[in-house]
Amino acid sequence: MIKYTKAQSITKGTAYTPAFDAFYIGTGNVTDETASSALGNPDVWLKPDKQLDATLGIVTKWTDQIGDIEFTPNSGDVGPSKNDGDVSTNWLPYLTFNGSTTSLVAAENREFDQGTGEYSMVVLARFDGTGSDETLLAKDGASSEWQLKKDTNNRITVAQTGSDPRSAALSAGTWYIIEWSQDDSDVHTIYIDGSASGSTVSAATDYDDDEKLFIGRKSGGTSHRLDGDIAEILYYNDHELTSLERASVVSYLQDKYFNQPIARQDFTGVDGSDIVVTAQTNKIIEFGFTKAVNDSGLNYTAEDIIGLRIK
């Protein structure tokens, strides 16, 4: 609850600091200040609204938030397009891959050599179409390559050495929080929006090799290109997300990209009246005060805008 106090009246030609006449709450947006520890401490964290370099709308470098690992277009490819956002993502940016010539890749790094132990990786993605193999992430390597992808039956799967887990079928044009995890018993599971989906398999495959990590394409050939969008990636090298961490990751991504801002509300009232604000979770709320201003005989209304984070 916020207490509102009405301003005193204005006298023309009198110098003073005007008090507030009215109070408003405006359109805000969700926060992007979640600590990595609250999300299970990812080893690689890529966000399109942070450390993204683009020239004429084409991404030239995407740098992760944890270890400053740089992803650049693969040789012979171009970077994905940077989309400044739309209503589907709370007007937050995302990367668009064209299905034929776009990709990003990082040189070998121990931060994404997951070995045979636990690991998780999460991608917030959307596919433009159905019926084709499309790669989200892929690991290079002659004998231990894997692809986290959508298959021709529109299921999320992991093309790897051994059996592949497969999710239920997804729809085109819908944003999904996609996770692939392996536990300490070598069980591979696909999660969609935080829930286990489809089959799980046990396949102890050693991925502990120093090889490149690709986004939007597999490591070899020109097929299996992503035709769609990626907003954010969290990669856990030697840690499987717990159920609580998974819920936190899903909540973070949903709050950030899909919880719509509140509409502006204007309030006036008698001196000392109370303003009751509908509860909001993890948002940046823009609010401010309006005041009448007298300047050389011209009367107008000015607004003091203040940002408030409500957790």
Side-chain angles (χ1 to χ4, degrees):
M1 184 175 294
I2 298 173
K3 184 71 69 174
Y4 157 77
T5 303
K6 189 172 174 58
Q8 74 271 31
S9 61
I10 295 175
T11 301
K12 182 177 179 180
T14 300
Y16 76 110
T17 301
F20 301 123
D21 290 320
F23 171 83
Y24 76 88
I25 295 177
T27 56
N29 215 327
V30 294
T31 67
D32 187 22
E33 299 178 11
T34 303
S36 61
S37 58
L39 304 178
N41 291 308
D43 295 285
V44 178
W45 190 358
L46 293 159
K47 297 187 266 185
D49 50 340
K50 303 286 185 180
Q51 294 188 212
L52 181 71
D53 298 337
T55 301
L56 299 177
I58 303 300
V59 175
T60 57
K61 183 171 65 177
W62 199 11
T63 306
D64 98 278
Q65 304 297 291
I66 306 300
D68 290 331
I69 300 171
E70 296 181 353
F71 289 77
T72 56
N74 189 53
S75 177
D77 289 347
V78 296
S81 301
K82 179 188 177 184
N83 190 305
D84 288 331
D86 51 47
V87 69
S88 74
T89 59
N90 270 344
W91 301 99
L92 291 171
Y94 54 87
L95 277 59
T96 296
F97 295 77
N98 65 15
S100 59
T101 61
T102 51
S103 72
L104 293 170
V105 62
E108 59 187 49
N109 193 292
R110 296 299 298 176
E111 296 299 335
F112 43 76
D113 292 329
Q114 64 265 49
T116 57
E118 299 179 1
Y119 51 82
S120 294
M121 55 197 75
V122 179
V123 184
L124 178 58
R126 174 174 63 181
F127 299 97
D128 286 347
T130 58
S132 60
D133 286 299
E134 298 183 34
T135 302
L136 294 171
L137 301 176
K139 185 70 177 294
D140 205 353
S143 61
S144 58
E145 178 185 358
W146 55 258
Q147 294 172 254
L148 178 61
K149 68 173 186 175
K150 175 180 70 68
D151 66 14
T152 56
N153 293 309
N154 309 311
R155 304 169 299 187
I156 298 300
T157 186
V158 182
Q160 59 176 347
T161 302
S163 302
D164 304 332
R166 301 182 187 278
S167 75
L170 305 186
S171 301
T174 300
W175 285 100
Y176 292 101
I177 301 171
I178 298 165
E179 176 191 340
W180 169 34
S181 285
Q182 175 177 290
D183 65 16
D184 57 4
S185 299
D186 301 325
V187 175
H188 296 248
T189 304
I190 299 296
Y191 296 86
I192 303 298
D193 296 333
S195 298
S197 178
S199 64
T200 60
V201 299
S202 180
T205 304
D206 186 1
Y207 296 127
D208 194 26
D209 54 347
D210 296 333
E211 299 291 351
K212 299 175 182 177
L213 180 65
F214 291 83
I215 302 174
R217 62 165 290 166
K218 66 178 184 177
S219 60
T222 58
S223 61
H224 297 193
R225 300 282 191 141
L226 173 61
D227 184 8
D229 309 302
I230 289 178
E232 200 153 321
I233 298 172
L234 298 94
Y235 194 106
Y236 303 80
N237 182 29
D238 54 4
H239 171 66
E240 181 199 13
L241 288 172
T242 66
S243 57
L244 182 60
E245 290 167 344
R246 180 171 297 110
S248 296
V249 170
V250 170
S251 178
Y252 156 72
L253 292 171
Q254 288 179 337
D255 281 346
K256 178 177 178 179
Y257 291 95
F258 308 127
N259 283 355
Q260 297 299 315
I262 61 173
R264 173 168 173 154
Q265 303 171 64
D266 289 278
F267 302 92
T268 58
V270 298
D271 190 32
S273 62
D274 292 331
I275 296 171
V276 179
V277 181
T278 303
Q280 301 292 325
T281 302
N282 198 31
K283 289 191 178 288
I284 290 291
I285 304 301
E286 175 193 303
F287 70 100
F289 302 90
T290 60
K291 57 189 177 184
V293 178
N294 182 279
D295 183 8
S296 302
L298 299 175
N299 292 295
Y300 61 93
T301 297
E303 295 183 349
D304 286 345
I305 300 173
I306 305 171
L308 171 69
R309 183 183 183 192
I310 299 179
K311 297 183 67 178

